[in-house]
């Protein structure tokens, strides 16, 4: 088992790379918001992908099971559910409902749930 696990240095590099990709995707999504016609869909997709990558970056430090256990602790359960629900609703509002205001609202709620 020890031969297949990542060393601490590799974990930190994976965390930094995944977090940087997440920040880049979120920033790119914000810039793509102003593209005519498809901007809202590109924004929602890249912003959501960026948040998922940023959350996934901590998997390198803690491991997947510990991350899931900590996310669903009673003190973090509401924030986790709100964040996951807002991820889905952001994509729904952009791709199916075509409501820019709702997509932006759900992105703001994603940010606050992540900060919480």
């Amino acid at each position: 088992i020890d031969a297949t696990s990542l060393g601490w240095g590799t974990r930190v590099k994976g965390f930094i790379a995944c977090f940087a990709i997440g920040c880049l995707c979120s920033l790119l999504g914000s810039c793509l918001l102003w593209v005519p016609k498809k901007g809202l869909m590109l924004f929602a997709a890249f912003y959501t992908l960026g948040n998922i990558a940023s959350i996934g970056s901590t998997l390198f430090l803690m491991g997947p099971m510990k991350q899931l256990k900590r996310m669903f602790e009673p003190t973090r359960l509401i924030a986790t559910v709100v964040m996951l629900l807002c991820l889905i609703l952001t994509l729904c509002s952009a791709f199916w409902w075509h409501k820019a205001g709702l997509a932006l609202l759900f992105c703001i709620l994603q940010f606050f749930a992540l900060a919480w």
Side-chain angles (χ1 to χ4, degrees), residues 7 11 21 23 34-35 39 44 46 54 70 74 87-88 92 94-96 98 105-106 116:
R11 288 178 184 216
I21 289 168
C23 290
W34 310 112
V35 172
F46 276 101
S54 295
R70 291 193 72 191
L87 284 172
I88 294 166
C92 289
F95 287 99
W96 288 285
H98 303 288
L105 174 68
F106 292 133
W116 184 7

Side-chain angles (χ1 to χ4, degrees), residues 61-115:
L61 297 179
M62 290 193 260
M65 291 309 294
K66 188 174 181 183
Q67 171 78 15
L68 288 173
K69 285 179 185 176
R70 291 193 72 191
M71 281 176 64
F72 290 98
E73 286 177 351
T75 56
R76 295 182 176 159
L77 183 62
I78 294 172
T80 300
V81 169
V82 168
M83 191 271 310
L84 293 174
L85 187 63
C86 286
L87 284 172
I88 294 166
L89 290 174
T90 300
L91 295 174
C92 289
S93 62
F95 287 99
W96 288 285
W97 305 328
H98 303 288
K99 303 286 185 183
L102 278 178
L104 291 174
L105 174 68
F106 292 133
C107 285
I108 292 167
L109 291 175
Q110 278 182 51
F111 173 78
F112 284 127
L114 283 170

Side-chain angles (χ1 to χ4, degrees), residues 18-34 39 42-55 87 104 107 110-111 114:
C18 204
F19 188 76
I21 289 168
C23 290
L24 182 66
C25 284
S26 295
L27 182 63
L28 181 62
S30 297
C31 293
L32 291 173
L33 180 61
W34 310 112
L42 291 171
F43 166 72
F46 276 101
Y47 189 81
T48 302
L49 183 64
N51 279 342
I52 291 170
S54 295
I55 292 168
L87 284 172
L104 291 174
C107 285
Q110 278 182 51
F111 173 78
L114 283 170

